[in-house]
């Protein structure tokens, strides 16, 4: 199982309501492409739901962290704690884009 972490904040709907539907469609398109490339299922998981235990429970083989539009000042640190713990564990090959690479570097 590939886990695609959606790092976009819910605030996107407030700041850029026109982007919300396009953003959802893009995430689904990414999911399908990752499944085609990896030859296995891809689970989209919201950033605040990611923990090392959840990644183990879904038998994650790799983690891919998306980018984001919303500034990190709008993310309470507690909502990123599980993702940071999973990245620190280093138990899964990880690829991160844009804001995802910032989280990876800060962790």
């Amino acid at each position: 199982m590939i886990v695609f972490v959606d790092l976009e904040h819910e605030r996107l709907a407030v700041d850029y309501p026109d982007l919300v539907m396009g953003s959802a469609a893009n995430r689904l398109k990414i999911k399908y492409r990752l499944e085609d490339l990896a030859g296995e299922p891809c689970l989209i998981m919201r950033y605040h739901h990611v923990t090392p235990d959840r990644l183990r429970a879904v038998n994650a083989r790799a983690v891919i962290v998306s980018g984001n539009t919303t500034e990190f000042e709008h993310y309470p640190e507690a909502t990123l704690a599980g993702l940071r713990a999973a990245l620190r564990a280093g138990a899964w090959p990880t690829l991160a884009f844009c804001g995802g690479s910032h989280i990876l570097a800060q962790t």
Side-chain angles (χ1 to χ4, degrees):
M1 169 88 55
I2 304 297
V3 175
F4 179 72
V5 179
D6 178 8
L7 189 57
E8 190 54 69
H9 193 278
E10 293 80 8
R11 186 175 174 90
L12 181 71
V14 174
D15 293 344
Y16 305 98
D18 296 339
L19 292 179
V20 173
M21 286 307 291
S23 180
N26 284 337
R27 285 191 296 271
L28 190 58
K29 185 191 249 184
I30 291 167
K31 170 190 167 43
Y32 291 151
R33 284 185 178 168
L34 290 171
E35 288 176 341
D36 289 344
L37 290 169
E40 59 183 85
C42 176
L43 173 66
I44 299 174
M45 191 178 294
R46 298 283 292 138
Y47 68 94
H48 55 274
H49 293 155
V50 176
T51 66
D53 287 341
R54 283 200 176 123
L55 292 177
R56 282 190 284 275
V58 299
N59 197 25
R61 291 177 31 103
V63 175
I64 300 173
V65 186
S66 77
N68 59 308
T69 302
T70 306
E71 297 293 329
F72 279 113
E73 66 192 40
H74 298 290
Y75 292 75
E77 187 55 39
T79 65
L80 296 169
L83 175 58
R84 289 187 192 278
L87 296 174
R88 269 194 306 274
W92 302 274
T94 302
L95 178 63
F97 298 96
C98 194
S101 64
H102 290 248
I103 293 292
L104 185 59
Q106 294 168 0
T107 302

